[in-house]
Amino acid sequence: MRAFRAVAAVLLSAVVLAGCGPSGSGGGDARPGGSAEPVTSTATSTNTGAGPAASPAHGTSPAHGTSPAPGASPSTGTPTGPSAVPAPGDTLVRVTRSGGFAGETHTLVVKGDGSWTRLDGKARPEGTGKLSEQELAALRTALRDADFARLLRIATGGPKIYDGFFYAFAHGGYEVAGEQGSLPPALERVAQALPPFTAR
């Protein structure tokens, strides 16, 4: 009987130890054995792969690239920034002037070669011409000095000029605007270097 009890105790101890062994190793297998760590490393490698794939996708959208950028800054620039020299047939600057005593709207579009077109309020051509080399050089200098990337998008704070004009400039991927009395001196110089807004 004692021998039977001793054998039973040994068997019971063996079962208990065997039960603890698998469960402990089972818990260990669940973590280091395969499912936890490989999944983590797989996810990491997937994310690493997705990172480079995502960057080109964002890079393909220049409008956001920006960004500035402002400033990507959207305001920090694009490949066709103010410092870039446009091709002869590309637009160098586009300026719309509206208001005044007559309340008229006229737009000037100046190309890279100095040729320009004047449009009326309905965007119909009403005049064309070409700047001389000196006039084109003066306009380019005024545009460069204005540094459109750093200008406020809407110029404010100047004195109110009744029957004054409102100007909207587009150059090198940037658009700035303001009333006649609020334009910074740099933009006033750009306006002065443009062809006439009306027929003389």
Side-chain angles (χ1 to χ4, degrees), residues 21-194:
S23 71
S25 65
D29 287 343
R31 186 165 181 158
S35 57
E37 284 186 4
V39 167
T40 305
S41 65
T42 303
T44 305
S45 66
T46 303
N47 292 339
T48 305
S55 338
H58 290 298
T60 55
S61 129
H64 298 292
T66 227
S67 91
S73 159
S75 65
T76 56
T78 63
T80 57
S83 60
V85 177
D90 292 342
T91 299
L92 172 63
V93 64
R94 180 187 183 99
V95 184
T96 298
R97 187 184 77 173
S98 57
F101 180 77
E104 296 180 342
T105 297
H106 300 277
T107 299
L108 287 169
V109 180
V110 183
K111 301 289 186 179
D113 63 356
S115 61
W116 56 267
T117 302
R118 184 173 54 243
L119 309 172
D120 65 13
K122 295 184 179 180
R124 295 174 302 201
E126 60 177 11
T128 59
K130 187 168 184 178
L131 297 174
S132 67
E133 289 185 7
Q134 293 79 8
E135 290 170 332
L136 180 58
L139 176 58
R140 286 186 184 280
T141 300
L143 289 168
R144 183 178 62 252
D145 292 347
D147 195 359
F148 275 58
R150 296 182 180 275
L151 290 174
L152 293 174
R153 296 300 166 252
I154 301 291
T156 58
K160 176 66 178 177
I161 299 178
Y162 294 96
D163 296 326
F165 294 107
F166 183 86
Y167 292 85
F169 301 79
H171 169 63
Y174 298 98
E175 294 184 8
V176 297
E179 293 184 347
Q180 187 174 349
S182 297
L183 292 181
L187 283 183
E188 289 180 356
R189 287 192 290 272
V190 171
Q192 291 166 3
L194 292 169

